[in-house]
Amino acid sequence: MTVDPLIALRPWEAPEVTSWGRLPMNAVDRRSGALPLDGDWRFQLLSAPDAPVGGSWSSAYVPGVWTTQDTGDLPQYTNVRMPFPEYPPHAPAANPTGVYEREVDVPAGWAGRRIVLQVGAAESVLLVHVDGRPVGVSKDSHLAAEFDLTGVVRAGERAVVRLTVVKWSDASHIEDQDQWWHGGVTRSVLLYATEALHLADVTVRAGRYGDLRVDCRVRDAGGALPEGWYVSGELDGRLLTQDTGFDRANAEDDRVSDFLGEARLTATVPDVRTWNAETPELYDLTVRLHRADGTVTDTSRHRVGFRDVEVVGRDLLVNGERIFVRGVNRHDFHPLTGRTVSDQDIRADLVLLKRFGFNAIRTSHYPNDPTVYDLADELGLYVVDEANIESHDHAHEIADDPRHLNAFVDRVSRMALRDKNHPSVIIWSLGNESDYGANHDAAAGWLRRHDPTRPVQYEGAAKLDWAATDDASDLACPMYASLEECVEHALSGRQTRPLIWCEYSHAMGNSNGTLADHWAAIESTPGLQGGFIWEFWDHGILQRVSDGRPVGRGGAGLYDNGVAAPGHRWAYGGDFGETIHDGAFIADGVVFPDRTPKPVMYEHRELAAPVRIECFRHEGIVLGNHQHFRGLDWLSGEWELSLADGGLLTAPAELPDLCPGETAAVPLPFALPEDGGEAWLTLRVTTARDEPWAPRGTVVCLPQVRLRAAAPARPPLPVPRGRVEVDTDGLLVHPLLTSAPALSLWRAPTDNDELGGMAPRWRDWGLDALVRKVTDVRRLADGRVTVHAEYAAEAGVVRHAQVLTPVEGGIHVEESAELPDALTDVARVGSVFETIAGLDLMEWYGQGPWESYPDRAFGAPVGHHSVPVDALFTPYLRPQESGGRHGVRHFTLSAPDATGLSVVLDEPRQVGVTRYRAADLTAVAHHDELVPRAGCVVHIDAAHRGLGTASCGPDTSASHLVAPGVHRWSWTLRAL
């Protein structure tokens, strides 16, 4: 019996085997003229890599993960823990192994040419056979593998290609990222051909002063290089100069042999248009390899951006300018296809990021799909390119283990060799959460020698000492370090390198509190330059509730506006029956699984506003340009003046001609009306023309300033001989209410509340089940009713008082709550009541229209807003507190016939209106389990705790905690 040499290698448990038969990585463009092999392949799922292939085949789509294609092997989510108990480098015996097979008709026109198979990515070990013959092995689930098939296939004939993908391996221990575990061929497969004499690699270096250098490496598959070959190039039609050409006649140069040639092309571009994230100018470069007779034997095309990146002291500079990094961490993800994303999906991702003010992505935690870099070049996004290295569960053992040395260097070097020509890539990253050891130093050494034009970062090295100068990181790139300690470091005098958070502001559920505080500090503190929010996506996989299976590729249209269709839900850890998982921690993005923006996106958009209102003076408005490289000519503006009484004035805005960093005063566009109450001026900024990422008229930002404060609120006058109806327990009886106003100290815990430890403490105090005890009810001669009650909590007694006063058309409610000193931090203090059915529209004056909370309200402008009640609720993947609006002055809830109720508040308050009680949200794990109530559940809060990001990172700031003591608030309820 013949033993398969690839199986005999047992590469799934051999860390010293990073590849076998795989070609070197390169940056030559091979897409033109290639034969795509995507589509349905014959498929079998084996129990182990050495299990025999049976006679029964199903089908699986390539590219795709088999874990979403009804194969029986389902996705599994873990954060730190490995999904199996074996220690490195071992893999479990039960090891799902996918066998993909199809026939390929090799074009007859490829006779005499070099033929190469490219597999875009496979998770986690790839074994390649053609016509039963072993071809090669590759590891690294997120980079392409190429294999030379020239001696294996014949042009004009049919060949059988088999790709065997082993799910678990020694490589899994260094791919232990916070994401779903899948298996499959996750990126496109193609076959291409070149002449024997071909470009082996192309390296482009283009600086901000217009200097261009193109280094070409040339090989001949037949052996020695032929005489007289040469390389030519042109940039936007301009011919480049060949400085040096090497062939056998120049073999005295020790860089050259009979089998490898090198050539350098150079040019200096006058009046060069430089590349940056605001103005991503690109030039078209074509490189051609010629035979001695001048005929072209190979061609590679590239898009070139002229730019410099350097670290100077405490500053990261792009083209000599200190930039702010407004970044997000991004995975390759799709709710139907898992790890596999289309070019259209990627463009939609990056366009959305640009529209909401992001200028950078970190490819967490592996090299992303190649299209990401092409589009980042085109659209203008800075990229931290991260190697596929994370050994979270066994980090300390692996960082210094020489058995994994080759894998570390291989993964880092192949990433750089693939992506080095992209101007968008401004920083190399050695990986994530893998401790720090000699393997990192080796990889950093290779990078710094190969590409001195970019800095290197690695959080695991820099976290040992942010001020160090002798480790593997050129930047301090902390992970969830508090704002206070980062500012302290920047002001300490010890800082030696830029500080840019690699992860901060964890976006799990209703989160991202204090983002405005972070950016106020970043923009005012030298040495701080920004960071990357964790993360872009909620990684919910669309699941059929009936059978618990992923919907797969056919599920388009089964979700909308962040919500799965009836009978479906967004699955997270544990929903596929796995016993080892980390629950909803996978749902931690700034967008829902269908790419619907969460409310935090609007917060970020305003914090990143390119044009801002600096201040209001009596003579006018001061505007500022907060970009790094661009003027304001690409923007249009419109003024909006919103008055508390409902008045709205608009006028065109002529934006001044400002260079980056400049300010200018412009006249006030309106004569401020003498009446109308509180007045807010908003500058609606939109794109003035079509941009690659936004059509003309797309909102860019909505900076706002208050022109006039509200007059002090006066309580309405009581109605003589008016009457307030209360029941025997002192609870208000009103025809529009089905549940009387009661004290609320509890909210359906957010993910931050649960994982940060606040919610367990609140439950221990009994705040989720307060029992009301009436101590006194009095009806006064003027028609008022006073009600005193006590609520017994584990930490002491809460005293609540209400004064109910009849007023014209309604009731005025004055309330106070006295919290004992032991209740040091509660979720809220306020009133909760429920309305009759049919009140389906909320209109309000305050911040909006999207959800906002006390520590996440910068991006919600004050104005008059109108939203259907059902749309106020935000469907975070795990149901929790949501739907709140901050700074509400007054609101109405109305039926289609305009009947309903209105509420006027004593001062701007946090208000929540949804169809769900806090207990409804707390009782379920998914939205398909929720049953909306017919009426509205209304919260009016005297104080509401900030959101923070304590699920992973700092809690909210002290100023946004709800303290003990006496809280007072009042409001007036009237029928419409």
Side-chain angles (χ1 to χ4, degrees), residues 341-596:
V341 287
S342 68
D343 292 355
Q344 294 77 15
D345 291 329
I346 295 170
R347 180 176 287 275
D349 290 356
L350 303 193
V351 161
L352 189 68
L353 288 174
K354 289 286 290 186
R355 291 184 184 180
F356 282 90
F358 291 92
N359 69 356
I361 56 174
R362 174 177 174 235
T363 67
S364 54
H365 299 292
Y366 45 80
N368 282 186
D369 187 286
T371 301
V372 169
Y373 305 83
D374 293 338
L375 291 175
D377 294 344
E378 174 192 330
L379 299 175
L381 285 160
Y382 302 119
V383 175
V384 173
D385 203 4
E386 189 149 276
N388 184 20
I389 298 173
E390 180 169 343
S391 55
H392 208 156
D393 200 15
H394 301 287
H396 185 69
E397 306 100 287
I398 288 176
D400 282 308
D401 187 340
R403 292 178 299 175
H404 294 279
L405 172 63
N406 287 346
F408 275 55
V409 177
D410 183 65
R411 288 162 182 251
V412 169
S413 63
R414 294 181 75 238
M415 169 188 71
L417 289 168
R418 187 193 75 166
D419 299 335
K420 61 192 172 184
N421 294 337
H422 289 282
S424 57
V425 177
I426 64 168
I427 298 170
W428 300 119
S429 170
L430 301 179
N432 185 65
E433 293 179 322
S434 301
D435 207 332
Y436 179 40
N439 293 339
H440 295 97
D441 286 331
W446 188 94
L447 265 182
R448 285 168 169 158
R449 177 69 176 86
H450 178 78
D451 179 23
T453 69
R454 295 176 174 94
V456 176
Q457 78 170 44
Y458 178 57
E459 182 268 341
K463 74 179 180 181
L464 302 178
D465 180 1
W466 290 350
T469 58
D470 59 352
D471 58 34
S473 187
D474 299 320
L475 289 83
C477 43
M479 182 179 292
Y480 304 111
S482 74
L483 178 60
E484 292 75 17
E485 59 186 322
C486 291
V487 170
E488 186 279 330
H489 174 68
L491 300 177
S492 68
R494 296 182 58 249
Q495 187 178 6
T496 58
R497 49 189 171 181
L499 190 151
I500 301 172
W501 284 269
C502 70
E503 294 179 22
Y504 81 112
S505 194
H506 191 254
M508 184 178 181
N510 193 356
S511 187
N512 302 107
T514 74
L515 198 59
D517 295 343
H518 277 75
W519 276 99
I522 290 166
E523 294 187 356
S524 62
T525 309
L528 304 185
Q529 281 191 254
F532 296 84
I533 291 173
W534 185 266
E535 62 166 312
F536 180 57
W537 284 102
D538 271 358
H539 292 231
I541 294 176
L542 191 65
Q543 181 186 46
R544 292 187 294 267
V545 176
S546 59
D547 61 9
R549 296 279 181 161
V551 172
R553 295 177 64 243
L558 291 176
Y559 45 78
D560 181 56
N561 203 29
V563 179
H568 301 80
R569 67 183 181 189
W570 300 123
Y572 50 75
D575 286 338
F576 293 110
E578 67 270 43
T579 56
I580 300 176
H581 66 84
D582 286 298
F585 207 71
I586 195 68
D588 50 10
V590 294
V591 302
F592 289 104
D594 65 350
R595 208 181 289 107
T596 297

Side-chain angles (χ1 to χ4, degrees), residues 203 314 446 485 557 730 737 751 905:
T203 302
R314 301 193 300 168
W446 188 94
E485 59 186 322
L737 304 186
D751 292 311
L905 305 168

